[in-house]
Short mmCIF file of all heavy atoms in Angstrom, two decimals:
data_model
loop_
_atom_site.label_atom_id
_atom_site.label_comp_id
_atom_site.label_asym_id
_atom_site.label_seq_id
_atom_site.Cartn_x
_atom_site.Cartn_y
_atom_site.Cartn_z
N MET A 1 0.90 -1.18 -0.03
CA MET A 1 -0.01 0.00 0.01
C MET A 1 0.95 1.24 0.01
O MET A 1 1.97 1.29 0.66
CB MET A 1 -0.89 -0.03 1.22
CG MET A 1 -1.96 1.07 1.26
SD MET A 1 -2.94 1.10 2.69
CE MET A 1 -3.77 -0.51 2.66
N THR A 2 0.50 2.27 -0.69
CA THR A 2 1.26 3.52 -0.69
C THR A 2 0.27 4.57 -0.10
O THR A 2 -0.87 4.67 -0.49
CB THR A 2 1.61 3.90 -2.20
OG1 THR A 2 2.43 2.84 -2.65
CG2 THR A 2 2.40 5.32 -2.06
N TYR A 3 0.78 5.32 0.82
CA TYR A 3 0.08 6.39 1.49
C TYR A 3 0.36 7.78 0.90
O TYR A 3 1.42 8.01 0.36
CB TYR A 3 0.33 6.44 2.95
CG TYR A 3 -0.11 5.23 3.67
CD1 TYR A 3 0.52 4.88 4.92
CD2 TYR A 3 -1.24 4.53 3.37
CE1 TYR A 3 0.12 3.74 5.75
CE2 TYR A 3 -1.66 3.42 4.03
CZ TYR A 3 -0.97 3.02 5.30
OH TYR A 3 -1.42 1.94 5.99
N ARG A 4 -0.60 8.57 0.88
CA ARG A 4 -0.51 10.01 0.50
C ARG A 4 -0.87 10.85 1.64
O ARG A 4 -1.95 10.55 2.23
CB ARG A 4 -1.42 10.14 -0.71
CG ARG A 4 -1.51 11.64 -1.21
CD ARG A 4 -2.32 11.63 -2.51
NE ARG A 4 -3.70 11.00 -2.44
CZ ARG A 4 -4.79 11.57 -1.94
NH1 ARG A 4 -4.65 12.85 -1.57
NH2 ARG A 4 -5.93 10.95 -1.91
N ILE A 5 -0.24 11.89 1.93
CA ILE A 5 -0.46 12.80 3.05
C ILE A 5 -1.07 14.12 2.51
O ILE A 5 -0.51 14.66 1.52
CB ILE A 5 0.67 13.08 3.85
CG1 ILE A 5 1.17 11.89 4.67
CG2 ILE A 5 0.39 14.26 4.93
CD1 ILE A 5 2.25 12.14 5.52
N GLU A 6 -2.17 14.56 3.04
CA GLU A 6 -2.60 15.99 2.73
C GLU A 6 -2.70 16.80 4.03
O GLU A 6 -2.94 16.20 5.09
CB GLU A 6 -3.99 15.91 2.12
CG GLU A 6 -3.98 15.35 0.65
CD GLU A 6 -5.47 15.43 0.06
OE1 GLU A 6 -6.32 16.11 0.49
OE2 GLU A 6 -5.56 14.67 -0.96
N VAL A 7 -2.49 18.01 3.89
CA VAL A 7 -2.59 19.01 5.06
C VAL A 7 -3.92 19.56 5.08
O VAL A 7 -4.41 20.10 4.09
CB VAL A 7 -1.53 20.01 4.94
CG1 VAL A 7 -1.70 20.99 6.11
CG2 VAL A 7 -0.17 19.59 4.89
N ASP A 8 -4.67 19.39 6.22
CA ASP A 8 -5.95 20.09 6.38
C ASP A 8 -5.62 21.52 6.77
O ASP A 8 -5.27 21.72 7.97
CB ASP A 8 -6.79 19.43 7.32
CG ASP A 8 -8.19 20.10 7.44
OD1 ASP A 8 -8.26 21.23 7.13
OD2 ASP A 8 -9.10 19.39 7.95
N LYS A 9 -5.59 22.49 5.86
CA LYS A 9 -5.07 23.79 6.19
C LYS A 9 -5.95 24.51 7.10
O LYS A 9 -5.55 25.51 7.74
CB LYS A 9 -4.89 24.60 4.93
CG LYS A 9 -3.81 23.79 4.00
CD LYS A 9 -3.54 24.58 2.74
CE LYS A 9 -2.55 25.67 2.96
NZ LYS A 9 -1.92 26.13 1.70
N GLU A 10 -7.16 24.05 7.27
CA GLU A 10 -8.10 24.70 8.23
C GLU A 10 -7.64 24.36 9.67
O GLU A 10 -8.04 25.16 10.64
CB GLU A 10 -9.61 24.21 8.01
CG GLU A 10 -10.11 24.60 6.68
CD GLU A 10 -10.14 26.03 6.44
OE1 GLU A 10 -10.73 26.76 7.31
OE2 GLU A 10 -9.89 26.51 5.34
N ILE A 11 -7.03 23.28 9.88
CA ILE A 11 -6.71 23.04 11.38
C ILE A 11 -5.24 22.99 11.66
O ILE A 11 -4.81 22.68 12.82
CB ILE A 11 -7.39 21.64 11.75
CG1 ILE A 11 -6.94 20.58 10.89
CG2 ILE A 11 -8.86 21.77 11.75
CD1 ILE A 11 -7.44 19.23 11.35
N CYS A 12 -4.32 23.20 10.63
CA CYS A 12 -2.95 23.24 10.95
C CYS A 12 -2.71 24.43 11.87
O CYS A 12 -3.20 25.55 11.55
CB CYS A 12 -2.18 23.43 9.57
SG CYS A 12 -0.45 23.92 9.76
N ILE A 13 -1.90 24.25 12.79
CA ILE A 13 -1.67 25.29 13.77
C ILE A 13 -0.15 25.80 13.62
O ILE A 13 0.38 26.44 14.49
CB ILE A 13 -1.82 24.90 15.24
CG1 ILE A 13 -0.95 23.70 15.57
CG2 ILE A 13 -3.23 24.62 15.55
CD1 ILE A 13 -1.01 23.34 17.06
N SER A 14 0.47 25.57 12.48
CA SER A 14 1.79 26.03 12.08
C SER A 14 2.93 25.74 13.06
O SER A 14 3.74 26.55 13.26
CB SER A 14 1.67 27.58 11.88
OG SER A 14 0.67 27.90 11.07
N SER A 15 2.77 24.58 13.61
CA SER A 15 3.79 24.10 14.54
C SER A 15 5.16 24.03 13.91
O SER A 15 6.32 24.14 14.51
CB SER A 15 3.44 22.76 15.23
OG SER A 15 3.66 21.71 14.28
N GLY A 16 5.13 23.60 12.65
CA GLY A 16 6.39 23.51 11.82
C GLY A 16 7.02 22.15 11.81
O GLY A 16 8.03 21.93 11.27
N ARG A 17 6.40 21.27 12.49
CA ARG A 17 7.05 19.92 12.62
C ARG A 17 7.24 19.29 11.33
O ARG A 17 8.28 18.70 11.10
CB ARG A 17 6.26 19.05 13.65
CG ARG A 17 6.85 17.74 13.78
CD ARG A 17 6.36 16.99 15.03
NE ARG A 17 7.12 15.66 15.12
CZ ARG A 17 7.33 15.29 16.34
NH1 ARG A 17 6.81 15.71 17.38
NH2 ARG A 17 8.06 14.08 16.47
N CYS A 18 6.30 19.20 10.51
CA CYS A 18 6.37 18.48 9.28
C CYS A 18 7.24 19.20 8.35
O CYS A 18 8.15 18.62 7.59
CB CYS A 18 5.02 18.33 8.57
SG CYS A 18 4.09 19.91 8.28
N VAL A 19 7.36 20.51 8.36
CA VAL A 19 8.27 21.34 7.53
C VAL A 19 9.73 21.16 7.95
O VAL A 19 10.64 20.98 7.17
CB VAL A 19 7.83 22.76 7.56
CG1 VAL A 19 8.86 23.69 6.80
CG2 VAL A 19 6.38 23.02 6.98
N ALA A 20 9.88 21.11 9.25
CA ALA A 20 11.26 20.97 9.79
C ALA A 20 11.82 19.56 9.53
O ALA A 20 12.95 19.34 9.17
CB ALA A 20 11.22 21.11 11.30
N GLU A 21 10.95 18.51 9.64
CA GLU A 21 11.35 17.22 9.52
C GLU A 21 11.61 16.75 8.03
O GLU A 21 12.39 16.06 7.69
CB GLU A 21 10.38 16.26 10.18
CG GLU A 21 10.96 14.92 10.47
CD GLU A 21 10.15 14.19 11.55
OE1 GLU A 21 9.48 14.74 12.35
OE2 GLU A 21 10.29 12.89 11.57
N TYR A 22 10.67 17.29 7.16
CA TYR A 22 10.74 16.90 5.69
C TYR A 22 10.70 18.11 4.87
O TYR A 22 9.66 18.38 4.18
CB TYR A 22 9.68 15.88 5.37
CG TYR A 22 9.75 14.63 6.11
CD1 TYR A 22 8.95 14.32 7.19
CD2 TYR A 22 10.78 13.62 5.70
CE1 TYR A 22 9.13 13.06 7.89
CE2 TYR A 22 10.95 12.34 6.30
CZ TYR A 22 10.03 12.12 7.43
OH TYR A 22 10.27 10.91 8.06
N PRO A 23 11.58 19.06 4.91
CA PRO A 23 11.45 20.24 4.13
C PRO A 23 11.36 20.14 2.64
O PRO A 23 10.95 20.99 1.87
CB PRO A 23 12.81 21.03 4.51
CG PRO A 23 13.73 19.98 4.91
CD PRO A 23 12.83 18.90 5.64
N GLU A 24 11.76 18.98 2.20
CA GLU A 24 11.69 18.69 0.79
C GLU A 24 10.18 18.32 0.38
O GLU A 24 9.74 18.32 -0.80
CB GLU A 24 12.60 17.72 0.24
CG GLU A 24 12.36 16.21 0.64
CD GLU A 24 12.69 15.96 2.16
OE1 GLU A 24 13.07 16.93 2.95
OE2 GLU A 24 12.62 14.70 2.52
N ARG A 25 9.38 17.97 1.35
CA ARG A 25 8.07 17.50 1.14
C ARG A 25 6.90 18.54 1.65
O ARG A 25 5.80 18.45 1.17
CB ARG A 25 7.88 16.15 1.77
CG ARG A 25 8.57 15.08 1.03
CD ARG A 25 8.38 13.83 1.76
NE ARG A 25 8.84 12.63 0.89
CZ ARG A 25 10.06 12.23 0.94
NH1 ARG A 25 11.02 12.78 1.75
NH2 ARG A 25 10.44 11.21 0.24
N PHE A 26 7.30 19.30 2.62
CA PHE A 26 6.36 20.25 3.30
C PHE A 26 6.96 21.67 3.29
O PHE A 26 8.10 21.85 3.48
CB PHE A 26 5.85 19.92 4.69
CG PHE A 26 5.18 18.50 4.63
CD1 PHE A 26 5.89 17.30 4.92
CD2 PHE A 26 3.80 18.48 4.38
CE1 PHE A 26 5.27 16.15 4.78
CE2 PHE A 26 3.18 17.15 4.32
CZ PHE A 26 3.95 15.95 4.56
N ARG A 27 6.14 22.67 3.16
CA ARG A 27 6.59 24.04 3.24
C ARG A 27 5.40 24.88 3.82
O ARG A 27 4.25 24.41 3.92
CB ARG A 27 6.84 24.55 1.89
CG ARG A 27 5.73 24.64 0.93
CD ARG A 27 6.07 25.02 -0.42
NE ARG A 27 4.95 25.11 -1.33
CZ ARG A 27 4.90 25.27 -2.65
NH1 ARG A 27 6.03 25.29 -3.32
NH2 ARG A 27 3.84 25.38 -3.31
N PHE A 28 5.72 26.04 4.24
CA PHE A 28 4.73 27.06 4.66
C PHE A 28 4.19 27.94 3.48
O PHE A 28 5.15 28.36 2.70
CB PHE A 28 5.19 28.02 5.78
CG PHE A 28 5.32 27.27 7.07
CD1 PHE A 28 6.56 27.40 7.80
CD2 PHE A 28 4.22 26.64 7.56
CE1 PHE A 28 6.63 26.68 9.11
CE2 PHE A 28 4.26 26.01 8.87
CZ PHE A 28 5.41 25.96 9.61
N ASP A 29 2.90 28.23 3.37
CA ASP A 29 2.43 29.09 2.43
C ASP A 29 2.61 30.46 2.96
O ASP A 29 3.10 30.80 4.06
CB ASP A 29 0.98 28.84 2.05
CG ASP A 29 0.01 29.03 3.19
OD1 ASP A 29 0.35 29.54 4.27
OD2 ASP A 29 -1.28 28.56 3.02
N ASP A 30 2.07 31.50 2.30
CA ASP A 30 2.12 32.91 2.70
C ASP A 30 1.52 33.27 4.00
O ASP A 30 1.89 34.25 4.58
CB ASP A 30 1.54 33.79 1.59
CG ASP A 30 2.26 33.67 0.31
OD1 ASP A 30 3.47 33.30 0.32
OD2 ASP A 30 1.76 34.10 -0.76
N GLU A 31 0.66 32.38 4.50
CA GLU A 31 0.02 32.57 5.73
C GLU A 31 0.66 31.65 6.85
O GLU A 31 -0.04 31.53 7.92
CB GLU A 31 -1.49 32.41 5.60
CG GLU A 31 -2.08 33.38 4.76
CD GLU A 31 -3.60 33.20 4.48
OE1 GLU A 31 -4.10 32.14 4.79
OE2 GLU A 31 -4.32 34.23 4.07
N GLU A 32 1.81 31.05 6.57
CA GLU A 32 2.53 30.31 7.57
C GLU A 32 1.69 29.01 7.88
O GLU A 32 1.74 28.53 8.99
CB GLU A 32 2.78 31.04 8.76
CG GLU A 32 3.76 32.28 8.67
CD GLU A 32 5.19 31.78 8.29
OE1 GLU A 32 5.71 30.97 9.07
OE2 GLU A 32 5.83 32.23 7.42
N VAL A 33 0.88 28.52 6.95
CA VAL A 33 0.28 27.27 7.08
C VAL A 33 0.94 26.28 6.16
O VAL A 33 1.37 26.50 5.09
CB VAL A 33 -1.30 27.46 6.66
CG1 VAL A 33 -1.96 26.05 6.62
CG2 VAL A 33 -1.95 28.48 7.54
N ALA A 34 1.11 25.13 6.73
CA ALA A 34 1.80 23.96 6.10
C ALA A 34 1.03 23.61 4.74
O ALA A 34 -0.24 23.60 4.69
CB ALA A 34 1.99 22.82 6.89
N GLU A 35 1.77 23.17 3.78
CA GLU A 35 1.19 22.49 2.51
C GLU A 35 2.22 21.60 2.00
O GLU A 35 3.46 21.72 2.27
CB GLU A 35 0.82 23.61 1.56
CG GLU A 35 1.99 24.37 1.05
CD GLU A 35 1.62 25.48 0.03
OE1 GLU A 35 0.38 25.78 -0.05
OE2 GLU A 35 2.52 26.09 -0.67
N GLY A 36 1.76 20.72 1.16
CA GLY A 36 2.74 19.77 0.49
C GLY A 36 3.45 20.56 -0.61
O GLY A 36 2.86 21.47 -1.34
N VAL A 37 4.76 20.14 -0.85
CA VAL A 37 5.47 20.64 -1.99
C VAL A 37 5.03 19.84 -3.23
O VAL A 37 5.04 18.60 -3.26
CB VAL A 37 7.01 20.36 -1.76
CG1 VAL A 37 7.77 20.79 -2.97
CG2 VAL A 37 7.42 21.18 -0.54
N PRO A 38 4.49 20.63 -4.16
CA PRO A 38 4.03 19.94 -5.39
C PRO A 38 5.09 19.08 -6.02
O PRO A 38 6.33 19.44 -6.09
CB PRO A 38 3.58 21.07 -6.36
CG PRO A 38 3.45 22.25 -5.38
CD PRO A 38 4.37 21.99 -4.26
N GLY A 39 4.76 17.76 -6.39
CA GLY A 39 5.65 16.98 -7.09
C GLY A 39 6.63 16.23 -6.16
O GLY A 39 7.43 15.39 -6.64
N ALA A 40 6.54 16.46 -4.93
CA ALA A 40 7.48 15.81 -3.89
C ALA A 40 7.15 14.30 -3.94
O ALA A 40 5.92 13.98 -3.97
CB ALA A 40 7.45 16.50 -2.62
N PRO A 41 8.09 13.41 -3.79
CA PRO A 41 7.76 11.99 -3.64
C PRO A 41 7.07 11.70 -2.30
O PRO A 41 7.19 12.36 -1.34
CB PRO A 41 9.20 11.36 -3.78
CG PRO A 41 10.13 12.48 -3.29
CD PRO A 41 9.47 13.83 -3.72
N ALA A 42 6.34 10.70 -2.39
CA ALA A 42 5.60 10.20 -1.07
C ALA A 42 6.65 9.73 -0.16
O ALA A 42 7.67 9.10 -0.43
CB ALA A 42 4.57 9.08 -1.45
N LEU A 43 6.33 9.89 1.11
CA LEU A 43 7.13 9.36 2.30
C LEU A 43 6.89 7.84 2.30
O LEU A 43 5.77 7.39 1.82
CB LEU A 43 6.54 9.88 3.56
CG LEU A 43 7.01 11.30 3.96
CD1 LEU A 43 6.33 11.75 5.19
CD2 LEU A 43 8.57 11.40 4.07
N PRO A 44 7.83 7.09 2.73
CA PRO A 44 7.52 5.77 3.09
C PRO A 44 6.34 5.53 4.02
O PRO A 44 6.14 6.46 4.73
CB PRO A 44 8.84 5.26 3.65
CG PRO A 44 9.94 6.21 3.27
CD PRO A 44 9.23 7.54 3.04
N ASP A 45 5.60 4.61 3.90
CA ASP A 45 4.45 4.43 4.68
C ASP A 45 4.62 4.52 6.11
O ASP A 45 3.76 5.21 6.78
CB ASP A 45 3.69 3.03 4.32
CG ASP A 45 3.04 2.99 2.93
OD1 ASP A 45 3.12 4.09 2.23
OD2 ASP A 45 2.65 1.96 2.58
N ASP A 46 5.60 3.89 6.69
CA ASP A 46 5.86 4.00 8.09
C ASP A 46 6.19 5.37 8.54
O ASP A 46 5.71 5.86 9.60
CB ASP A 46 6.83 3.02 8.58
CG ASP A 46 8.24 3.27 7.87
OD1 ASP A 46 8.28 3.85 6.87
OD2 ASP A 46 9.27 2.70 8.53
N ALA A 47 6.85 6.18 7.76
CA ALA A 47 7.28 7.48 8.04
C ALA A 47 5.99 8.44 7.94
O ALA A 47 5.77 9.32 8.73
CB ALA A 47 8.37 7.98 7.08
N ALA A 48 5.07 8.15 6.94
CA ALA A 48 3.96 8.98 6.81
C ALA A 48 3.01 8.75 8.07
O ALA A 48 2.54 9.75 8.52
CB ALA A 48 3.11 8.49 5.58
N LEU A 49 2.82 7.57 8.52
CA LEU A 49 2.05 7.31 9.67
C LEU A 49 2.65 8.01 10.90
O LEU A 49 1.92 8.59 11.76
CB LEU A 49 1.92 5.77 9.96
CG LEU A 49 0.95 5.13 8.92
CD1 LEU A 49 1.07 3.55 9.23
CD2 LEU A 49 -0.50 5.56 9.02
N ARG A 50 3.96 7.88 11.04
CA ARG A 50 4.65 8.41 12.26
C ARG A 50 4.47 9.91 12.28
O ARG A 50 4.18 10.48 13.35
CB ARG A 50 6.12 7.95 12.26
CG ARG A 50 6.83 8.50 13.56
CD ARG A 50 8.34 8.11 13.50
NE ARG A 50 8.95 8.43 12.19
CZ ARG A 50 9.30 9.72 11.74
NH1 ARG A 50 9.10 10.63 12.67
NH2 ARG A 50 9.85 10.01 10.68
N LEU A 51 4.61 10.54 11.10
CA LEU A 51 4.59 11.98 11.00
C LEU A 51 3.15 12.39 11.27
O LEU A 51 3.01 13.33 12.02
CB LEU A 51 5.03 12.44 9.65
CG LEU A 51 5.04 14.00 9.39
CD1 LEU A 51 6.02 14.60 10.45
CD2 LEU A 51 5.30 14.27 7.95
N ALA A 52 2.21 11.78 10.67
CA ALA A 52 0.79 12.22 10.86
C ALA A 52 0.41 12.11 12.32
O ALA A 52 -0.35 12.87 12.96
CB ALA A 52 -0.13 11.28 10.03
N ARG A 53 0.80 10.94 13.00
CA ARG A 53 0.50 10.79 14.43
C ARG A 53 1.21 11.94 15.35
O ARG A 53 0.67 12.28 16.45
CB ARG A 53 0.93 9.48 14.91
CG ARG A 53 0.15 8.34 14.38
CD ARG A 53 0.76 7.06 14.72
NE ARG A 53 0.09 5.89 14.24
CZ ARG A 53 0.71 4.67 13.72
NH1 ARG A 53 2.07 4.57 13.78
NH2 ARG A 53 -0.04 3.72 13.24
N ALA A 54 2.27 12.50 14.76
CA ALA A 54 3.03 13.53 15.59
C ALA A 54 2.50 14.92 15.38
O ALA A 54 2.94 15.76 16.12
CB ALA A 54 4.46 13.40 15.15
N CYS A 55 1.69 15.10 14.44
CA CYS A 55 1.10 16.51 14.18
C CYS A 55 0.32 16.96 15.38
O CYS A 55 -0.61 16.15 15.73
CB CYS A 55 0.27 16.48 12.85
SG CYS A 55 -0.54 18.02 12.63
N PRO A 56 0.56 18.05 16.01
CA PRO A 56 -0.10 18.39 17.23
C PRO A 56 -1.46 18.73 16.96
O PRO A 56 -2.31 18.70 17.99
CB PRO A 56 0.69 19.59 17.64
CG PRO A 56 1.43 20.08 16.58
CD PRO A 56 1.72 18.96 15.65
N SER A 57 -2.00 19.04 15.82
CA SER A 57 -3.40 19.41 15.62
C SER A 57 -4.07 18.31 14.69
O SER A 57 -5.22 18.57 14.26
CB SER A 57 -3.55 20.76 15.01
OG SER A 57 -2.98 20.77 13.68
N SER A 58 -3.42 17.14 14.46
CA SER A 58 -4.04 16.20 13.59
C SER A 58 -4.45 16.71 12.21
O SER A 58 -5.40 16.30 11.69
CB SER A 58 -5.23 15.55 14.26
OG SER A 58 -4.80 14.82 15.41
N ALA A 59 -3.62 17.58 11.68
CA ALA A 59 -3.87 18.19 10.43
C ALA A 59 -3.30 17.43 9.25
O ALA A 59 -3.65 17.79 8.10
CB ALA A 59 -3.31 19.61 10.39
N LEU A 60 -2.58 16.40 9.55
CA LEU A 60 -2.00 15.60 8.40
C LEU A 60 -2.86 14.35 8.20
O LEU A 60 -2.91 13.56 9.12
CB LEU A 60 -0.59 15.17 8.80
CG LEU A 60 0.49 16.35 8.93
CD1 LEU A 60 1.75 15.88 9.38
CD2 LEU A 60 0.62 17.05 7.57
N LEU A 61 -3.50 14.42 7.09
CA LEU A 61 -4.43 13.36 6.89
C LEU A 61 -3.76 12.36 5.88
O LEU A 61 -3.17 12.72 4.91
CB LEU A 61 -5.73 13.93 6.14
CG LEU A 61 -6.39 15.04 6.91
CD1 LEU A 61 -7.60 15.57 6.19
CD2 LEU A 61 -6.73 14.61 8.37
N VAL A 62 -4.01 10.98 6.10
CA VAL A 62 -3.38 10.00 5.35
C VAL A 62 -4.38 9.23 4.50
O VAL A 62 -5.40 8.86 5.08
CB VAL A 62 -2.64 9.04 6.24
CG1 VAL A 62 -1.94 7.93 5.39
CG2 VAL A 62 -1.54 9.80 7.14
N PHE A 63 -4.14 9.10 3.27
CA PHE A 63 -4.95 8.43 2.36
C PHE A 63 -4.17 7.20 1.65
O PHE A 63 -3.03 7.36 1.34
CB PHE A 63 -5.49 9.41 1.26
CG PHE A 63 -6.33 10.49 1.83
CD1 PHE A 63 -5.70 11.71 2.27
CD2 PHE A 63 -7.68 10.47 1.98
CE1 PHE A 63 -6.42 12.77 2.82
CE2 PHE A 63 -8.45 11.46 2.57
CZ PHE A 63 -7.86 12.60 2.94
N ASP A 64 -5.03 6.25 1.28
CA ASP A 64 -4.50 5.22 0.53
C ASP A 64 -4.41 5.87 -0.97
O ASP A 64 -5.41 6.28 -1.48
CB ASP A 64 -5.53 3.98 0.44
CG ASP A 64 -5.01 2.96 -0.40
OD1 ASP A 64 -4.47 3.09 -1.53
OD2 ASP A 64 -5.23 1.69 -0.09
N ALA A 65 -3.05 5.89 -1.50
CA ALA A 65 -3.02 6.46 -2.77
C ALA A 65 -3.68 5.89 -3.88
O ALA A 65 -4.00 6.49 -4.99
CB ALA A 65 -1.48 6.58 -3.16
N ASP A 66 -4.00 4.61 -3.74
CA ASP A 66 -4.70 3.87 -4.77
C ASP A 66 -6.22 3.99 -4.81
O ASP A 66 -6.85 4.26 -5.83
CB ASP A 66 -4.38 2.35 -4.78
CG ASP A 66 -2.94 1.99 -5.05
OD1 ASP A 66 -2.42 2.83 -5.76
OD2 ASP A 66 -2.32 1.18 -4.37
N THR A 67 -6.77 3.92 -3.56
CA THR A 67 -8.22 4.02 -3.50
C THR A 67 -8.76 5.35 -3.10
O THR A 67 -9.93 5.59 -3.32
CB THR A 67 -8.78 2.95 -2.38
OG1 THR A 67 -8.29 3.43 -1.10
CG2 THR A 67 -8.28 1.54 -2.69
N GLY A 68 -7.96 6.22 -2.46
CA GLY A 68 -8.31 7.47 -2.04
C GLY A 68 -9.01 7.44 -0.69
O GLY A 68 -9.35 8.41 -0.10
N GLU A 69 -9.05 6.32 -0.10
CA GLU A 69 -9.72 6.11 1.19
C GLU A 69 -8.87 6.64 2.36
O GLU A 69 -7.50 6.48 2.31
CB GLU A 69 -9.94 4.64 1.46
CG GLU A 69 -10.71 4.24 2.75
CD GLU A 69 -10.96 2.74 2.78
OE1 GLU A 69 -10.80 2.06 1.84
OE2 GLU A 69 -11.18 2.30 4.03
N GLU A 70 -9.46 7.35 3.24
CA GLU A 70 -8.59 7.90 4.39
C GLU A 70 -8.34 6.83 5.29
O GLU A 70 -9.07 5.92 5.62
CB GLU A 70 -9.45 8.94 5.12
CG GLU A 70 -8.57 9.62 6.22
CD GLU A 70 -9.19 10.87 6.88
OE1 GLU A 70 -10.34 11.26 6.43
OE2 GLU A 70 -8.54 11.47 7.80
N ILE A 71 -7.13 6.83 5.74
CA ILE A 71 -6.55 5.85 6.73
C ILE A 71 -6.67 6.22 8.11
O ILE A 71 -6.38 7.46 8.50
CB ILE A 71 -4.94 5.57 6.44
CG1 ILE A 71 -4.79 5.14 5.00
CG2 ILE A 71 -4.46 4.57 7.39
CD1 ILE A 71 -5.49 3.82 4.54
N ASP A 72 -7.15 5.38 9.01
CA ASP A 72 -7.20 5.63 10.43
C ASP A 72 -5.85 5.50 11.03
O ASP A 72 -5.29 4.39 11.13
CB ASP A 72 -8.16 4.74 11.21
CG ASP A 72 -8.30 5.04 12.67
OD1 ASP A 72 -7.33 5.73 13.21
OD2 ASP A 72 -9.18 4.51 13.32
N ILE A 73 -5.03 6.63 11.24
CA ILE A 73 -3.69 6.51 11.52
C ILE A 73 -3.41 5.89 12.86
O ILE A 73 -2.28 5.44 13.09
CB ILE A 73 -3.00 7.95 11.42
CG1 ILE A 73 -3.65 8.96 12.45
CG2 ILE A 73 -3.07 8.47 10.01
CD1 ILE A 73 -2.86 10.12 12.60
N PHE A 74 -4.39 5.85 13.79
CA PHE A 74 -4.08 5.33 15.06
C PHE A 74 -4.49 3.80 15.12
O PHE A 74 -4.26 3.15 16.11
CB PHE A 74 -4.76 6.01 16.14
CG PHE A 74 -4.23 7.44 16.25
CD1 PHE A 74 -4.91 8.58 15.85
CD2 PHE A 74 -2.95 7.63 16.81
CE1 PHE A 74 -4.34 9.84 15.88
CE2 PHE A 74 -2.38 8.86 16.94
CZ PHE A 74 -3.11 9.97 16.49
N ALA A 75 -5.20 3.32 14.00
CA ALA A 75 -5.57 2.00 13.97
C ALA A 75 -4.63 1.12 13.07
O ALA A 75 -4.79 0.02 12.87
CB ALA A 75 -6.97 1.70 13.56
N SER A 76 -3.77 1.91 12.23
CA SER A 76 -2.95 1.25 11.23
C SER A 76 -1.60 0.83 11.79
O SER A 76 -1.13 1.35 12.86
CB SER A 76 -2.71 2.12 10.03
OG SER A 76 -3.99 2.48 9.56
S1 SF4 B 1 2.93 19.23 11.90
FE1 SF4 B 1 0.66 19.68 11.67
S2 SF4 B 1 0.39 21.56 12.81
FE2 SF4 B 1 2.52 21.44 12.50
S3 SF4 B 1 2.93 22.54 10.55
FE3 SF4 B 1 2.67 20.38 9.92
S4 SF4 B 1 0.51 20.11 9.56
FE4 SF4 B 1 0.71 22.10 10.60
#
């Protein structure tokens, strides 16, 4: 399975954790809200889950890249 992460920009609190840890994959927009870097390669699945679980506002949503189904990051 390959996971895809999206930032819910409505609930990101700009902690910077994802940007600091994976600057090639996440960046801040003009309002200091995180977003994915276009065209960046996907994280390995275990890293995607770990990062999403570490987001302090649960703004990193994980999806199955094939089906588009959202993954329950705490049950996976
Ligand atoms: S870790 Fe979460 S709250 Fe922090 S910048 Fe990234 S998406 Fe926003």
